[in-house]
Amino acid sequence: MSQKALVEFKDLHTEFYTEAGVVKAVSGVSFQIRPGETVCVVGESGSGKSVTALSLMRLLANNAKIVKGEIIFDGRDVLKLKPHEMRRLRGNEIGMIFQEPMTSLNPVLTVGEQIMEPIIEHRMFSKREARKYAIELIEMVGIPRAHEIVDAYPHELSGGMRQRIMIAIALSCEPKLIIADEPTTALDVTIQAQILDLLRKLKSEKNVALMLITHDLGVVAEMADYVVVMYGGRVVEEGKVMEVFKNPRHPYTEGLLKAKPIIGERKERLYTIPGQVPSPLNLPLYCHFADRCPYVMPVCKEQYPDTFIDADGHKVACWLHAEGARA
């Protein structure tokens, strides 16, 4: 873990300003991604996973604002980059695979034109060179008949093929980091496995870092080197994936793992975490999980816990581990 970080989130706070009030989507998020590493960011819907990634890309909605913190990418604070510098960074050094390819791809452009666009923009290829490279990328992501598919429109392709096209676009400029936001959502199980195999293969061949956003612990177990667990806009636990799975230290992580069905193990009813996720419009000043936690103590409802770290670098924001060394 001594390798210099490619990405470092430092005390990131991102808020949305709505008619109902201020939504604190991300509150004090800090973690790192190293070159060639797969970091899975896991948590329920609304935990702040996607907003953290979109803050790095600076693709937030008009009513959103990063109010505090730093995001260091390859030695540069992306929050201080000018708009034209940020455009050079997107696509060129950071690729993103969005959650739903049908809404992310332009329906009136062929997939070939959409792959070619960043190649021409960032790599200064001619149109002819870009088309040739687009066909190579379509072949690389495992789509047959690439010479025909390059002229197809998104609606002519299956969901799995569209997701592969999104991966081809993300890879087109050979980025240092790929952000994949729920890349297997709405795909059937067989296609999900193929997409994950493809991401793993490309990561190995290209030595690209991968930030994988998911709520699926099966995906985390299969893909991650390191896992970051988010809840209520905060990081509640992080560590090496096998350490977190074998020894979950935060009650929320423990609950997520207990709720996952296991093949061959019959239960009358699957475990569910009791209670509801707190509203991001009215987050408590104490531990956000306290009202759902089976181990809640008086201190949990008095103040938010510090982050404690053990000798293996396993971090947890929970008063149950207050005897640990503080991060």
Side-chain angles (χ1 to χ4, degrees), residues 19-86:
E19 291 182 1
V22 177
V23 175
K24 294 183 178 180
V26 172
S27 302
V29 163
S30 299
F31 66 91
Q32 299 181 350
I33 305 171
R34 290 171 173 78
E37 182 180 45
T38 296
V39 173
C40 281
V41 184
V42 65
E44 293 171 81
S45 296
S47 62
K49 309 183 300 295
S50 295
V51 174
T52 299
L54 292 170
S55 298
L56 166 57
M57 295 291 280
R58 280 176 51 185
L59 290 174
L60 295 164
N62 291 333
N63 66 331
K65 185 179 179 182
I66 297 169
V67 296
K68 186 181 177 184
E70 296 176 300
I71 307 175
I72 309 299
F73 177 82
D74 202 20
R76 294 158 286 174
D77 186 349
V78 301
L79 305 184
K80 293 180 180 177
L81 295 180
K82 295 176 181 177
H84 74 275
E85 294 173 320
M86 198 63 219

Side-chain angles (χ1 to χ4, degrees), residues 23-286:
V23 175
K24 294 183 178 180
V26 172
S27 302
V29 163
S30 299
F31 66 91
Q32 299 181 350
I33 305 171
R34 290 171 173 78
E37 182 180 45
T38 296
V39 173
C40 281
V41 184
V42 65
E44 293 171 81
S45 296
S47 62
K49 309 183 300 295
S50 295
V51 174
T52 299
L54 292 170
S55 298
L56 166 57
M57 295 291 280
R58 280 176 51 185
L59 290 174
L60 295 164
N62 291 333
N63 66 331
K65 185 179 179 182
I66 297 169
V67 296
K68 186 181 177 184
E70 296 176 300
I71 307 175
I72 309 299
F73 177 82
D74 202 20
R76 294 158 286 174
D77 186 349
V78 301
L79 305 184
K80 293 180 180 177
L81 295 180
K82 295 176 181 177
H84 74 275
E85 294 173 320
M86 198 63 219
R87 283 194 296 272
R88 294 295 302 167
L89 192 70
R90 289 190 211 106
N92 195 27
E93 296 185 59
I94 306 173
M96 187 155 186
I97 304 164
F98 291 94
Q99 189 171 113
E100 176 42 64
M102 196 60 220
T103 55
S104 302
L105 292 169
N106 190 326
V108 301
L109 295 178
T110 67
V111 295
E113 288 173 314
Q114 295 181 65
I115 298 171
M116 288 162 60
E117 185 178 355
I119 299 168
I120 294 169
E121 171 70 23
H122 295 296
R123 302 186 71 177
M124 307 304 176
F125 280 30
S126 69
K127 212 167 183 181
R128 186 176 178 179
E129 291 170 330
R131 180 181 170 86
K132 182 182 176 183
Y133 187 45
I135 292 169
E136 290 176 11
L137 285 166
I138 293 170
E139 290 173 343
M140 186 189 301
V141 297
I143 299 177
R145 301 180 295 107
H147 285 83
E148 298 173 28
I149 295 298
V150 73
D151 295 316
Y153 289 89
H155 71 271
E156 297 178 289
L157 306 181
S158 68
M161 290 172 78
R162 288 194 294 264
Q163 194 61 285
R164 287 170 186 267
I165 293 295
M166 289 295 298
I167 294 171
I169 294 171
L171 285 169
S172 61
C173 293
E174 299 185 353
K176 297 174 183 176
L177 171 72
I178 290 178
I179 301 169
D181 188 356
E182 301 277 9
T184 58
T185 296
L187 300 176
D188 65 54
V189 176
T190 305
I191 303 299
Q192 283 185 24
Q194 291 175 4
I195 294 296
L196 293 177
D197 284 342
L198 175 61
L199 286 172
R200 193 184 302 106
K201 176 174 175 280
L202 293 171
K203 171 185 172 285
S204 174
E205 291 176 355
K206 304 288 186 181
N207 195 37
V208 63
L210 184 62
M211 179 179 175
L212 184 56
I213 298 165
T214 185
H215 63 272
D216 188 332
L217 292 175
V219 171
V220 176
E222 190 174 343
M223 296 290 293
D225 300 310
Y226 196 82
V227 60
V228 175
V229 183
M230 290 188 67
Y231 183 82
R234 289 180 177 262
V235 174
V236 296
E237 184 166 4
E238 62 175 289
K240 294 176 182 177
V241 65
M242 292 313 299
E243 174 62 25
V244 171
F245 270 61
K246 288 180 180 178
N247 182 29
R249 305 191 75 198
H250 197 282
Y252 176 62
T253 312
E254 185 181 305
L256 287 178
L257 291 167
K258 283 171 68 177
K260 182 169 176 56
I262 299 171
I263 293 174
E265 186 176 306
R266 293 194 65 177
K267 295 181 180 178
E268 286 188 14
R269 189 167 183 159
L270 280 173
Y271 175 81
T272 57
I273 299 172
Q276 299 293 324
V277 179
S279 168
L281 283 165
N282 190 28
L283 289 169
L285 297 176
Y286 52 83

